[in-house]
Amino acid sequence: MASPAPKSPEQSDKSKKYDRQLSFFLDADNIGKSRAQVATQLLLELNPDVKGDFVDESPKQILETNPDFFIGHTLVIATAISERVLVPLSTRLWDAGIPLIVARSYGFIGSIRIQVEEHTVVESHPDDQHPDLRLDAPFPALKQFADSFDMSQLELKDHARIPYVVPLYQALQTWMQQHDGAFPKSSKDKNELRDLIKKGNKNPDSEEQNFTEAIRAVNFAIRKTVVPTDVQDILNDNKCINLTSKSKPFWITAKAVKDFVDNEGKGLLPLRGSLPDMTSDTNNYVKLQQIYHKQSSKDAEIVFRRAQQLLYSLSQPRDNISEAYVKNFCKHESSIAIQRGSCITSEYDQKTANASEIALSLEQPDSMMVYYVMLRAIDRFFDEYNAYPGEFDDQLEVDIIKMKSCISKLLSEWSCGPLSKDDYVHEICRYGGAELHSVSAFIGGCAAQEAIKIITKQYKPINNTLIYDAISSNTATFAF
Amino acid sequence: MDVAVQIKDAFPKRWCHLKKVLERTGPFCHPDFEPSTDVTNHFIMTTCKILVIGAGGLGCELLKNLALMGFKDIHVIDMDTIDLSNLNRQFLFRRKDIGQSKAEVAAKFINQRIPGCNVTPHYNKIQDFDECFYRQFHIVVCGLDSIVARRWINGMLISLLTYDDDGDLEQSSIIPMVDGGTEGFKGNVRVILPGISACIECTLDLFPPQVTYPLCTIASTPRLPEHCIEYVKVIQWPKENPYEAAIDGDDPVHINWIYEKASERANQFNISGVNFRLVQGVVKNIIPAVASTNAAIAAACTTEVFKIATSCSVPLSNYMVFNDVDGLYTYTYEAEKKDDCLACGQTAKVLEIKSTEIKLQQLIDQLTESYQMKNPGVTTSINGKNRTLYLPTVSSIEEQTRENLKKNLGDLGLENGSEINVADVTSPNTLVFVLKVASESMQVE
Ligand SMILES: [Zn+2]
C-alpha cells in the first residue's frame, strides 16, 4: 500500500510471493536492503514523533514460531496476505481481542475488511443532529429565564434581539394553555403555533430575524424529547445491565446514564448543554448559553457520581473513569454507538459464512457483491495454482476457465445459483495480479482513516467490508 | 538474500503492473482503447503532458500518484511557500524546506525519487499564465482549496475551446479537467470535459461558502475577524492553555477567553467585527484538513486522469462525493450541464433587471448574488465608445468611478437591450450580459 505501508510484520514468503507491488518509498539507493527496514526508515522520516520497528519475517513464520508477537499491539493492518495466512492470523487476533484491518488492491478493485469484536463509539459526530432544547420539559432555570421577558413591553430594537428560544417557548406555553396542556403534535397544531409566533412579530415592515428563526425552529425544536432507539438498545444491552469487574468505562458510564434516566432524569438523558447559534444580543445569548451549560454540568455530575459508585461496587479503581470522560459522554450520549463484528475465519468457513447476504446481493443486477466473489475466487485460485489468474500471457485463456471453476465452487459452497458475469471474470483475468498505485493509494488512505477511527473511538468505522470499484468509482459496504 | 528488494531487476519491471491493463483489452475499456504493444513506449510515458494545480495536501498526493502511474511529463503550479503547519500531511516537505516554494520542493522530491519522471515547477499564480501556456497540456488536475481559483481555471479551459465552420466543437481543443476537493472527512472528485459536460460554473450552488483558513494567513496576514479567532484557537490556546482543557465550544468561559484574545489581536491589525457570536461560530465549525481524505481523493483523481489518458477504462461520469464520517459512503452521479451557464453556456447571457431606475450598486449586488462574483467591474460601450462604469481593482479608477454606483442605470446611458461587460476574479474572461428590463420586451431598437 502506498499509504500507510504496513508497519509490521513485513511480507517475505520464501516460496512464491503473494505480494506483488513496488512502493513509492523504495528507491534506487536502497538496492539490497530489507524492504521492511527501508519502509520503516522512510515512514519515520514523515513524522519525527513516530516510533517504528520492523520484523524481517513473514506473518506465517511469526504465527508458527512466535504466536504471542501480536499481543500488545493496539491494532494490526494486513495487506497483500493470502487466505492461507489470513485465516490463522484472524483467529489469533480475534481471540486476543485485537482489531484487524485487511486491505487489498487488485487491478481496478480494492477492499477493506475490518475485524473487531465489539467497538464502542462515544463521539460519532453525526452530520445532522437536532439541538437538545428541552422546550417540552423545561428545567427550572430555563423556565425562569424564558418567563422573565415581557415581549410586548420591549422596544423594537431589543425585541428583535431576544434569542428565538424565548418567543418560541412563550408561544408554546400559550398554545398548550389553549389546548388543556396538550403538546402540539400534528402539522395543524404546529401551523397554529407558527401563527401564534407570527403574531408576536413587532416590526410592521418585515419579519424580525429572531422570529423567523423561531418559526423555522418549530420543525425541529417542537418535539417530545426521547431517548433515541439506538441509545436505548445500548442502555438495555446485556453488557450495560450486567456489569462485571471487567466491564469497560464505556459500559459503566452507560449504566450510570441509564440509572440517571430511570431516576433524576425522569425518563430523559442528561442535557447535552449545547446552544445552537442564533440571532441575539451577546448578553442574553450568553445568559441562555450558561443556563444550558450549567444544567448539563449538573446532570453530568450526577452521572459521574453514579459512575464512581459503580466503580466502587465493581472493585475497580476510581480513576478508571474521569470526570472529563463522563462529561464528554453526556455531551454525545444521544449519538453513542456500538458495532459488533465477526471473525474472518467464520466468514471464510462455509458452515458459518453469511451465505444469505451473498446470495441476496447477487440477485441485484448491479450489486458490487460480484467483486467480493471475484476477490475470494482469486484467493482460491492462488492457493490452488500458486499464481494469479491471467498472470502469464500464454495462460490467459486457460486461467479464465480455471477461474470460472473457482467461482462455481465458492458459489456452491454458499448454495448460490450460477453467476452469469463472464465480463467480470475476463476483466479480473486481464489484471493478472496487477496492482495499480492509485487504487492502492485510495484503499490505503481509507484504511488509515478506519485505523484512526478504531484507535480514537471517534466516528463509526466501516461495518465491516468495503468494496471499491475504480472502474465506476463506486463503493459498497457489506456485513459478513 | 531472499527478502531483499531487487531494485536492479525491479526498475525495468516497475511498469509490469501497467502492462497488464495497457497491453490487454477488457470488457470495461473505453471504445477508443487500443492495446499497447510496449508499455514503456505508451502515450502517457512519451507525450502526455499533465498540469497539476496546487502542491498542497492534495497536490503532493497527486504528484506522487501520477508519477507512480507512469506519467513522465508533469507541471505543477503553486504560489505558496512551505509552512511548519504543512508538514504533517504534505509529505513531500521536510522541516529544512520551510519557507521555500511548495512547487519547487515537491518537483525536486519526485524527480529524485522516481528516476525518469520529470516534474516542472512553477512558483506562480495561475493568473500569471496565458492561453498559450495552458494549451500545451493534455489534462489538467486541480487540488485546490480555493473556489475562485477553480472557477478561473475552469473559465480558462473553456476559453481554449474552438469550433469549426459548422459550429461544432473541435474535439482536439478539449482539455479535460479532473478536480478534487476535500473538507474534513468529506471530499469530491469530478471529471469535466469543457464544452461537453457540466463545468464548475454549472454546479456552483454545490460549493458551500468556505470556512477553513490557511494557517499562514492566520499567523501572519489576518484580514478577517475569523482569522483573528482562528489564531487564538489554533495557536494561542494550545500555548497558554488557560483552563487546562481542550476548547469546549459550549462553555461560555472558554468562548469568552477566546473572544477577548481575538479582540486584542483584531485591534492590533485594525480589523473590526470580532464579536461573541462570530467567535462561537468559528470555534464550533472546526473542520481540519484530514490527511487520509486527501489521500483518498487524490488517488481517485489520479485514477481518472489515468483512465482519460489511456482509455483503459471508462472515466467517471462525472461527479463522486465521498464521506467517511459514518462508515464510508460514496455516491456517483452525472451533474448536468446548464444551457445558460455563465462559463460554458452557448446562449447569450441575459441579466434581468427591475428597471433602468435601479442604481449601478444594485446591479453589481445582483451580479455578486446571482453569480457568486467577488468584486465585479462593469464597462459598456455607448455609441461605439467604451466607457468604464465601475472598476474596483485599480484604486485610481475606483475613485473616479465610485460616484457612478449611486447613479441610475438610465442616467449612465444604459437601457433595455444594452450590453455590459463584466470582469471578475472568478473568470479569466470578460463576460458580456444583455440587460433586460423585466416589464419590457427585448425587441427594442
Ligand atoms: Zn458550465
Side-chain angles (χ1 to χ4, degrees):
Chain A
M1 293 292 135
S3 57
K7 293 232 163 102
S8 65
E10 257 297 344
Q11 176 88 28
S12 68
D13 256 350
K14 277 186 187 164
S15 61
K16 164 88 182 173
K17 280 193 183 180
Y18 184 81
D19 187 3
R20 48 201 197 287
Q21 58 133 25
L22 284 162
S23 166
F24 176 64
F25 287 117
L26 306 174
D27 61 19
D29 297 340
N30 292 307
I31 295 169
K33 286 185 197 158
S34 142
R35 198 174 71 168
Q37 180 186 358
V38 176
T40 307
Q41 271 170 12
L42 292 164
L43 267 173
L44 298 188
E45 201 187 313
L46 291 180
N47 183 346
D49 295 333
V50 174
K51 290 194 187 75
D53 204 356
F54 66 93
V55 177
D56 217 350
E57 279 177 80
S58 74
K60 190 162 166 260
Q61 255 172 300
I62 296 172
L63 278 167
E64 281 161 8
T65 58
N66 183 15
D68 283 345
F69 170 82
F70 299 99
I71 314 294
H73 288 85
T74 311
L75 174 95
V76 174
I77 302 176
T79 65
I81 187 167
S82 71
E83 182 170 343
R84 218 174 275 166
V85 183
L86 176 60
V87 169
L89 178 68
S90 90
T91 306
R92 185 85 197 94
L93 294 173
W94 181 264
D95 292 344
I98 298 168
L100 166 68
I101 298 178
V102 185
R104 73 193 286 199
S105 162
Y106 197 98
F108 279 110
I109 309 304
S111 73
I112 296 172
R113 164 69 152 98
I114 294 178
Q115 170 182 300
V116 53
E117 189 184 2
E118 176 187 285
H119 183 66
T120 51
V121 185
V122 176
E123 294 177 47
S124 67
H125 301 286
D127 271 345
D128 47 347
Q129 203 178 25
H130 297 304
D132 184 15
L133 294 176
R134 303 282 165 110
L135 295 179
D136 61 323
F139 45 95
L142 173 61
K143 235 170 134 60
Q144 201 190 350
F145 177 79
D147 286 334
S148 71
F149 293 91
D150 187 349
M151 296 292 285
S152 61
Q153 296 303 309
L154 291 172
E155 278 184 40
L156 186 57
K157 89 170 162 40
D158 296 328
H159 192 264
R161 295 165 73 190
I162 302 298
Y164 78 70
V165 170
V166 174
L168 180 59
Y169 170 86
Q170 292 189 352
L172 176 65
Q173 295 310 307
T174 312
W175 191 92
M176 286 169 69
Q177 273 159 23
Q178 292 168 356
H179 294 81
D180 302 320
F183 193 75
K185 260 196 237 147
S186 64
S187 54
K188 180 179 153 281
D189 297 348
K190 291 188 179 177
N191 279 333
E192 286 175 19
L193 182 62
R194 287 190 188 96
D195 289 339
L196 272 176
I197 300 168
K198 266 182 212 158
K199 270 189 206 153
N201 192 60
K202 232 178 178 175
N203 189 336
D205 299 334
S206 66
E207 203 166 75
E208 294 165 84
Q209 191 62 37
N210 52 344
F211 277 71
T212 310
E213 289 174 7
I215 291 163
R216 209 183 298 141
V218 170
N219 290 330
F220 57 82
I222 301 301
R223 55 173 67 217
K224 276 288 184 191
T225 309
V226 290
V227 181
T229 29
D230 289 356
V231 178
Q232 268 178 36
D233 291 345
I234 293 174
L235 300 187
N236 292 324
D237 194 286
N238 196 33
K239 279 208 160 171
C240 180
I241 293 169
N242 299 315
L243 296 178
T244 70
S245 59
K246 292 208 171 67
S247 289
K248 298 230 167 89
F250 178 89
W251 290 113
I252 299 171
T253 313
K255 178 68 164 71
V257 167
K258 183 181 165 57
D259 292 344
F260 175 92
V261 173
D262 294 342
N263 295 285
E264 297 89 347
K266 301 190 180 95
L268 299 182
L269 291 168
L271 183 72
R272 196 184 306 152
S274 143
L275 185 66
D277 185 31
M278 58 188 70
T279 301
S280 167
D281 62 319
T282 304
N283 182 31
N284 277 315
Y285 182 82
V286 172
K287 263 193 204 160
L288 187 56
Q289 194 182 35
Q290 267 163 347
I291 286 167
Y292 277 101
H293 192 258
K294 258 191 202 152
Q295 183 63 38
S296 90
S297 296
K298 247 190 225 169
D299 289 355
E301 228 165 84
I302 296 172
V303 175
F304 178 61
R305 256 184 282 132
R306 285 190 171 278
Q308 289 292 312
Q309 281 161 9
L310 289 168
L311 284 174
Y312 180 76
S313 66
L314 297 166
S315 311
Q316 286 197 28
R318 309 200 80 168
D319 54 5
N320 271 9
I321 295 174
S322 69
E323 190 165 2
Y325 179 82
V326 171
K327 268 197 167 171
N328 194 47
F329 195 99
C330 290
K331 191 166 178 170
H332 297 283
E333 85 234 309
S334 59
S335 54
I336 55 173
I338 175 167
Q339 281 179 6
R340 290 198 167 112
S342 67
C343 179
I344 293 171
T345 307
S346 62
E347 175 190 338
Y348 277 52
D349 182 344
Q350 64 179 92
K351 292 192 283 296
T352 44
N354 192 354
S356 61
E357 162 106 12
I358 301 171
L360 226 78
S361 299
L362 286 178
E363 282 169 20
Q364 317 280 330
D366 294 323
S367 171
M368 286 174 61
M369 184 60 86
V370 62
Y371 287 120
Y372 174 77
V373 177
M374 295 294 154
L375 291 172
R376 290 289 304 274
I378 291 166
D379 282 346
R380 278 289 165 94
F381 190 105
F382 190 89
D383 269 358
E384 215 159 303
Y385 305 107
N386 216 29
Y388 298 102
E391 188 173 348
F392 305 103
D393 287 340
D394 54 352
Q395 299 290 309
L396 191 54
E397 294 308 314
V398 187
D399 283 358
I400 290 174
I401 298 164
K402 286 179 181 168
M403 182 68 177
K404 282 183 185 166
S405 117
C406 288
I407 294 169
S408 315
K409 271 186 229 159
L410 271 169
L411 290 171
S412 75
E413 283 171 22
W414 296 323
S415 315
C416 293
L419 193 66
S420 52
K421 297 268 188 187
D422 279 6
D423 273 3
Y424 292 83
V425 182
H426 285 253
E427 180 73 3
I428 289 293
C429 290
R430 174 194 184 197
Y431 302 150
E435 180 172 335
L436 299 177
H437 177 78
S438 63
V439 176
S440 303
F442 182 88
I443 291 294
C446 296
Q449 186 55 38
E450 295 307 305
I452 295 167
K453 286 182 189 174
I454 290 171
I455 293 166
T456 60
K457 294 191 185 286
Q458 290 199 21
Y459 304 92
K460 290 190 210 163
I462 294 164
N463 185 21
N464 50 31
T465 301
L466 179 93
I467 303 287
Y468 171 53
D469 165 22
I471 301 170
S472 65
S473 300
N474 273 309
T475 61
T477 303
F478 302 105
F480 293 104
Chain B
M1 194 176 176
D2 57 88
V3 292
V5 187
Q6 299 296 325
I7 296 282
K8 237 180 204 156
D9 293 330
F11 263 98
K13 282 189 196 161
R14 176 153 236 161
W15 312 119
C16 65
H17 299 288
L18 293 183
K19 263 172 107 82
K20 297 280 196 298
V21 291
L22 295 182
E23 294 181 5
R24 290 175 177 178
T25 187
F28 304 118
C29 290
H30 191 277
D32 290 347
F33 180 74
E34 270 179 41
S36 156
T37 48
D38 174 10
V39 79
T40 56
N41 208 11
H42 193 276
F43 167 71
I44 58 168
M45 305 218 187
T46 54
T47 325
C48 186
K49 212 166 183 177
I50 307 280
L51 175 64
V52 175
I53 302 182
L58 279 169
C60 282
E61 297 272 356
L62 284 168
L63 289 169
K64 178 252 315 174
N65 291 345
L66 288 165
L68 286 175
M69 288 301 276
F71 292 93
K72 303 246 182 226
D73 190 357
I74 306 169
H75 287 236
V76 58
I77 306 182
D78 199 307
M79 62 178 286
D80 277 345
T81 52
I82 297 160
D83 186 89
L84 176 66
S85 64
N86 302 141
L87 300 186
N88 69 342
R89 60 184 185 284
Q90 300 179 12
F91 62 93
L92 300 180
F93 309 141
R94 300 286 175 269
R95 200 164 271 271
K96 65 174 170 44
D97 302 323
I98 291 173
Q100 297 194 57
S101 150
K102 285 186 179 179
E104 285 165 8
V105 174
K108 203 171 146 203
F109 194 112
I110 299 282
N111 292 342
Q112 250 168 22
R113 186 53 62 83
I114 301 164
C117 183
N118 184 22
V119 181
T120 310
H122 301 278
Y123 178 27
N124 289 92
K125 293 198 214 95
I126 50 173
Q127 292 85 355
D128 292 346
F129 299 101
D130 61 7
E131 301 190 349
C132 267
F133 174 81
Y134 288 106
R135 197 174 282 129
Q136 65 179 310
F137 297 102
H138 293 97
I139 302 169
V140 172
V141 205
C142 295
L144 289 161
D145 55 7
S146 150
I147 292 160
V148 172
R150 261 196 196 93
R151 291 170 71 181
W152 191 92
I153 193 73
N154 178 67
M156 172 54 78
L157 296 182
I158 288 163
S159 69
L160 296 180
L161 297 174
T162 55
Y163 294 83
D164 64 17
D165 295 340
D166 300 330
D168 290 328
L169 183 57
E170 283 182 292
Q171 297 294 314
S172 61
S173 69
I174 300 170
I175 299 174
M177 168 171 163
V178 178
D179 180 51
T182 66
E183 191 180 70
F185 296 106
K186 295 170 193 164
N188 65 75
V189 175
R190 56 190 301 184
V191 171
I192 295 168
L193 301 174
I196 295 178
S197 61
C199 80
I200 299 279
E201 216 72 29
C202 288
T203 53
L204 204 52
D205 45 344
L206 295 175
F207 293 100
Q210 271 185 293
V211 281
T212 43
Y213 310 100
L215 200 74
C216 45
T217 305
I218 296 166
S220 39
T221 56
R223 293 180 303 270
L224 303 171
E226 286 89 342
H227 297 155
C228 303
I229 301 163
E230 281 282 325
Y231 177 84
V232 179
K233 193 181 92 186
V234 302
I235 294 170
Q236 233 171 325
W237 184 282
K239 210 153 96 191
E240 300 187 24
N241 201 359
Y243 302 101
E244 289 181 359
I247 298 175
D248 178 353
D250 292 318
D251 186 340
V253 178
H254 288 194
I255 299 295
N256 210 42
W257 190 89
I258 299 173
Y259 169 51
E260 277 169 19
K261 298 289 169 186
S263 303
E264 280 170 26
R265 185 166 168 81
N267 284 339
Q268 258 174 43
F269 286 92
N270 282 326
I271 296 167
S272 63
V274 173
N275 60 47
F276 189 88
R277 191 172 163 202
L278 186 70
V279 172
Q280 178 96 44
V282 173
V283 170
K284 283 186 152 187
N285 267 320
I286 303 169
I287 304 180
V290 176
S292 52
T293 313
N294 280 342
I297 293 300
C301 286
T302 307
T303 302
E304 294 311 320
V305 174
F306 183 74
K307 290 196 281 186
I308 295 168
T310 64
S311 296
C312 75
S313 172
V314 283
L316 165 69
S317 180
N318 49 29
Y319 205 115
M320 176 180 89
V321 290
F322 172 98
N323 184 341
D324 63 357
V325 166
D326 182 355
L328 194 157
Y329 169 84
T330 60
Y331 176 64
T332 301
Y333 71 102
E334 193 171 341
E336 274 179 43
K337 189 172 182 300
K338 265 195 199 161
D339 285 339
D340 60 346
C341 170
L342 214 49
C344 73
Q346 288 296 296
T347 55
K349 282 123 202 150
V350 175
L351 189 67
E352 199 169 287
I353 51 172
K354 253 192 247 165
S355 74
T356 50
E357 297 294 297
I358 65 163
K359 308 266 188 286
L360 182 61
Q361 179 68 58
Q362 287 170 286
L363 182 86
I364 286 176
D365 291 346
Q366 206 178 324
L367 287 168
T368 47
E369 275 160 35
S370 311
Y371 301 108
Q372 296 190 35
M373 289 187 183
K374 299 292 161 193
N375 203 7
V378 182
T379 61
T380 188
S381 154
I382 291 166
N383 303 327
K385 267 182 79 182
N386 282 331
R387 188 168 170 209
T388 301
L389 300 179
Y390 183 65
L391 193 65
T393 45
V394 182
S395 64
S396 58
I397 305 180
E398 197 276 335
E399 263 170 52
Q400 286 171 35
T401 55
R402 196 184 297 163
E403 276 301 299
N404 288 345
L405 292 175
K406 297 179 200 148
K407 291 185 186 159
N408 288 342
L409 299 188
D411 295 344
L412 292 165
L414 295 173
E415 53 189 21
N416 192 29
S418 290
E419 280 188 359
I420 55 165
N421 309 307
V422 180
D424 189 56
V425 287
T426 55
S427 172
N429 311 308
T430 301
L431 302 165
V432 182
F433 287 89
V434 180
L435 295 182
K436 180 182 182 297
V437 176
S439 54
E440 293 174 41
S441 90
M442 284 290 273
Q443 271 70 40
V444 284
E445 315 145 76

